[in-house]
Amino acid sequence: GNFDDDTLDTEGVYSSCGNLGSKSAVAIDSEGNPYVALTYSTTNTIYYSKFEEEAWTATEIDTGASPTSIVMDIDSDDNVHVVYSISSSGTYYLLYYSSSNPSSVYEITNGTSSFSYLSLAIDSEDTLHVAYLDNSSRELMYATGTGSSWSVETADDSSAYIGYQCSIDTDSNNKAHISYYDVTNKKLKYATNANGSWSDDQESVDSSSSNIG
């Protein structure tokens, strides 16, 4: 099939439907099939859609939700995992969906301000790792888990505003590695929990001048 400039409609085909895909993410399964997670702002609905055999097939994830950020990845069994942030009645939520249990959406955490710059990685044991900026504390945060079981911790709070534009990946030992921007000090930074502690492994990637990263 050929991709064009149209957008995915709620039935999983291309059309000229508006207000669709203002927040989106993409992932590829083990057979090379692309998946797109997207939002339809008119109805505040989140979908993911799979392209296979010349057609898109859409699945609804959540309705009544208008996400501020959304990320997606696919595990070794080709299960779809989506993490997204929403706000409701003054509270902000970081939520998780998996196609392995499509009837449930799980809360990772909540707070008084938005969660942004979400980044998602899945390790060799199919455990999820999420990095994000907590806009209330302005700290780099890290969450790991799956299903309804999650742990959340601060990865870096060493300056007044840190964690901007974060990106996460995992190594062969299933440890997390995060790059991110320290807004206060205008430095690109890197952190890992490979040695068991975030605070022992934070460093500037390039401190030769300001505004790098």
Side-chain angles (χ1 to χ4, degrees), residues 35 48 59 75 78-82 96-103:
Y35 293 68
Y48 77 86
T59 300
D75 67 24
D78 285 339
N79 293 309
V80 175
H81 301 268
V82 179
Y96 163 67
Y97 164 92
S98 173
S99 62
S100 63
N101 188 11
S103 62

Side-chain angles (χ1 to χ4, degrees), residues 57-127:
T57 303
T59 300
E60 183 179 302
I61 294 174
D62 199 353
T63 189
S66 180
T68 57
S69 187
I70 185 169
V71 288
M72 176 174 61
D73 206 350
I74 296 175
D75 67 24
S76 61
D77 293 319
D78 285 339
N79 293 309
V80 175
H81 301 268
V82 179
V83 175
Y84 56 100
S85 59
I86 66 168
S87 63
S88 178
S89 302
T91 300
Y92 292 82
Y93 298 90
L94 189 61
L95 302 176
Y96 163 67
Y97 164 92
S98 173
S99 62
S100 63
N101 188 11
S103 62
S104 298
V105 171
Y106 299 101
E107 180 182 318
I108 298 174
T109 189
N110 66 73
T112 58
S113 190
S114 62
F115 307 110
S116 57
Y117 305 112
L118 307 184
S119 182
L120 169 64
I122 300 178
D123 67 27
S124 63
E125 297 180 349
D126 289 336
T127 299

Side-chain angles (χ1 to χ4, degrees), residues 1 23 29 56 67 79-80 89 100 111-112 118 121 138 140 146 149 154-155 168 170 176-177 181 194 206 208:
K23 300 290 187 300
D29 69 16
W56 289 94
N79 293 309
V80 175
S89 302
S100 63
T112 58
L118 307 184
R138 293 190 168 185
L140 175 68
T146 189
S149 178
T154 301
I168 192 169
T170 57
H177 301 257
Y181 187 63
D206 191 333
S208 59

Side-chain angles (χ1 to χ4, degrees), residues 135-161:
N135 285 297
S136 177
S137 62
R138 293 190 168 185
E139 297 170 351
L140 175 68
M141 303 299 294
Y142 167 75
T144 184
T146 189
S148 61
S149 178
W150 288 84
S151 63
V152 177
E153 59 191 67
T154 301
D156 194 346
D157 60 356
S158 61
S159 71
Y161 189 5

Side-chain angles (χ1 to χ4, degrees), residues 139-142 153-159 162-163 176-180 182 185 187-207:
E139 297 170 351
L140 175 68
M141 303 299 294
Y142 167 75
E153 59 191 67
T154 301
D156 194 346
D157 60 356
S158 61
S159 71
I162 194 164
H177 301 257
I178 309 174
S179 66
Y180 54 101
D182 181 342
N185 297 302
K187 302 294 183 184
L188 175 64
K189 295 192 70 178
Y190 160 80
T192 179
N193 62 359
N195 294 325
S197 172
W198 291 105
S199 60
D200 292 339
D201 290 286
Q202 298 159 357
E203 58 183 86
S204 295
V205 176
D206 191 333
S207 58

